[in-house]
Amino acid sequence: MTLYEAAAGPAQARSPLAGDVVAGLVHNGSAEAVARAAVREAVRRGCRVRFIQVLPPGLNEEDRADADRGTFRAALRALRGQSRVPCSFEVLEGEAGRILCERSRQAGILVIGRDLPDAVDHVAGYCQVHAECDVLTVAHLE
């Protein structure tokens, strides 16, 4: 099994290096791997990385703060040593697949954690079908 798995989306006709790299950070333990892969893609492409954290609706303040800290920490670790990678952060609540597809419309690639076999929501699968850009799925770090 490889660490990365790319799937061509409907945007394959566009230049493969066009647009930002969108890092889809969902609350499923894949943030570290997704952030690292997204930063590597942004460096390779010479573009910006947009970290988009999608949280499930209804989290209490403490759980939301924990998720925010974990995601921000993962992004900072991934950016370590990459002083010239422009980036932005956005935190949203809702259906992760739908939100990530909307936010990646003009992106060159969406990087997302691979769906786990026992997952209730199949975010990566949804994005591979509905995203208007290429989708790179990343294995979770053990």
Side-chain angles (χ1 to χ4, degrees):
M1 177 183 279
T2 62
L3 182 62
Y4 305 109
E5 201 175 271
Q12 193 169 16
R14 290 189 311 177
S15 166
L17 301 181
D20 294 339
V21 173
V22 172
L25 305 173
V26 297
H27 196 61
N28 67 0
S30 67
E32 290 265 345
V34 169
R36 287 181 187 168
V39 168
R40 276 194 294 271
E41 275 295 312
V43 168
R44 186 178 77 76
R45 293 165 178 258
C47 65
R48 173 174 76 148
V49 61
R50 293 173 35 220
F51 295 101
I52 299 179
Q53 177 182 12
V54 184
L55 299 173
L59 285 182
N60 64 41
E61 291 290 323
E62 184 178 335
D63 289 342
R64 183 182 176 101
D66 285 345
D68 287 347
R69 276 190 299 276
T71 300
F72 189 68
R73 190 175 312 128
L76 288 178
R77 283 185 187 138
L79 288 164
R80 188 174 297 145
Q82 304 296 335
S83 61
R84 298 196 179 214
V85 177
C87 64
S88 63
F89 296 83
E90 188 174 358
V91 179
L92 302 163
E93 283 187 12
E95 186 181 324
R98 186 184 58 74
I99 289 171
L100 292 172
C101 286
E102 286 174 7
R103 291 294 198 258
S104 65
R105 278 198 186 120
Q106 301 299 315
I109 193 166
L110 169 62
V111 182
I112 186 78
R114 190 173 297 150
D115 291 329
L116 296 174
D118 60 347
V120 174
D121 296 323
H122 295 280
V123 177
Y126 180 91
C127 290
Q128 287 173 323
V129 171
H130 298 285
E132 295 180 21
C133 64
D134 291 340
V135 177
L136 175 69
T137 60
V138 181
H140 296 244
L141 298 176
E142 303 275 326

